[in-house]
Amino acid sequence: MSERKAINKYYPPDFDPSKVKKVKKIKKTGRASWPTVRLMAPFSMKCLQCNEYIAQSRKFNARKEVTEEKYLGSRILRFHIRCPRCNSELIFRTDPKNADYECVSGCKRNYERSTAKPNEGPKAAKNETFDQMLERLEKEDEIEQLNKDGKQKASEETGIEQLEKRLREQEREQQLIDEIDDLQQKNKQAEKRKEEVMKIDLQGET
């Protein structure tokens, strides 16, 4: 066994390395030069050839193609996989603008990811440029700040109004208490007068 694992080779005394023919390496071009990578399906899709459904996160050996297209300096990559049922080619690519993937040919996405606002359609979000997105986000931040400031002012106003209402209620309660005291005193005086009148009447009868 040790002889088979020997690394050293025998070279005869008349060996001339210049006479050995060099084998030229053929550079691979086109599809053959694309590296094979192991990946998972980024979304659930359907093969347009045989209507086979492919679940999200299913593993594939894919060919990675680096395209010349760029978005903000980052290259767009294409991935070529094979349908597990009919062996047809399915192609999808990266979408750095939306931080997602999109189908190119041979397959169809089962569920479209909506990035639009509730009041806008899906086309508005897809046609939105980077500058428009920045403007929209700045406007949203300004609106949020205005809403926060308005809520704070409203809360301050409501606190002052509540204090004023409490003071008014206390004043009314005090006025009512004073009126009740006056009425009680008047009633006592009226009862005393009645008692005096009753005594005078009794004395006159006797």
Side-chain angles (χ1 to χ4, degrees), residues 130-141:
F130 185 71
D131 295 333
Q132 291 175 352
M133 182 177 68
L134 289 176
E135 290 177 2
R136 177 172 59 80
L137 293 173
E138 287 176 358
K139 288 180 181 178
E140 288 177 357
D141 290 337

Side-chain angles (χ1 to χ4, degrees), residues 112-126:
E112 291 293 336
R113 186 176 65 88
S114 177
T115 57
K117 293 182 182 178
N119 298 329
E120 296 179 355
K123 293 183 180 178
K126 288 183 179 179

Side-chain angles (χ1 to χ4, degrees), residues 47-168:
C47 177
L48 299 177
Q49 188 72 23
C50 62
N51 295 328
E52 173 73 9
Y53 287 96
I54 299 170
Q56 185 179 4
S57 302
R58 185 168 180 175
K59 293 182 180 180
F60 289 93
N61 292 326
R63 292 274 190 169
K64 184 177 77 172
E65 177 188 1
V66 181
T67 63
E68 297 297 328
E69 300 176 8
K70 288 185 178 180
Y71 178 78
L72 299 177
S74 60
R75 286 192 179 275
I76 294 174
L77 306 176
R78 283 185 183 177
F79 296 98
H80 303 253
I81 61 175
R82 292 287 178 179
C83 175
R85 184 177 179 185
C86 65
N87 205 31
S88 61
E89 190 176 39
L90 312 178
I91 304 172
F92 58 89
R93 67 175 185 177
T94 57
D95 186 10
K97 183 178 180 180
N98 299 318
D100 197 10
Y101 294 82
E102 60 180 6
C103 296
V104 177
S105 65
C107 57
K108 181 182 178 182
R109 192 167 183 161
N110 292 334
Y111 300 100
E112 291 293 336
R113 186 176 65 88
S114 177
T115 57
K117 293 182 182 178
N119 298 329
E120 296 179 355
K123 293 183 180 178
K126 288 183 179 179
N127 297 329
E128 188 180 28
T129 61
F130 185 71
D131 295 333
Q132 291 175 352
M133 182 177 68
L134 289 176
E135 290 177 2
R136 177 172 59 80
L137 293 173
E138 287 176 358
K139 288 180 181 178
E140 288 177 357
D141 290 337
E142 289 176 0
I143 291 167
E144 287 179 0
Q145 286 288 357
L146 290 172
N147 290 334
K148 287 180 181 178
D149 294 338
K151 287 179 180 177
Q152 287 178 357
K153 289 179 180 177
S155 62
E156 289 174 0
E157 290 176 358
T158 51
I160 293 167
E161 288 176 357
Q162 287 176 359
L163 287 172
E164 289 178 353
K165 286 180 181 178
R166 288 177 184 174
L167 291 172
R168 288 172 187 170

Side-chain angles (χ1 to χ4, degrees), residues 20-26:
V20 178
K21 294 181 179 180
K22 295 181 179 180
V23 179
K24 292 183 179 179
K25 293 183 179 179
I26 300 171

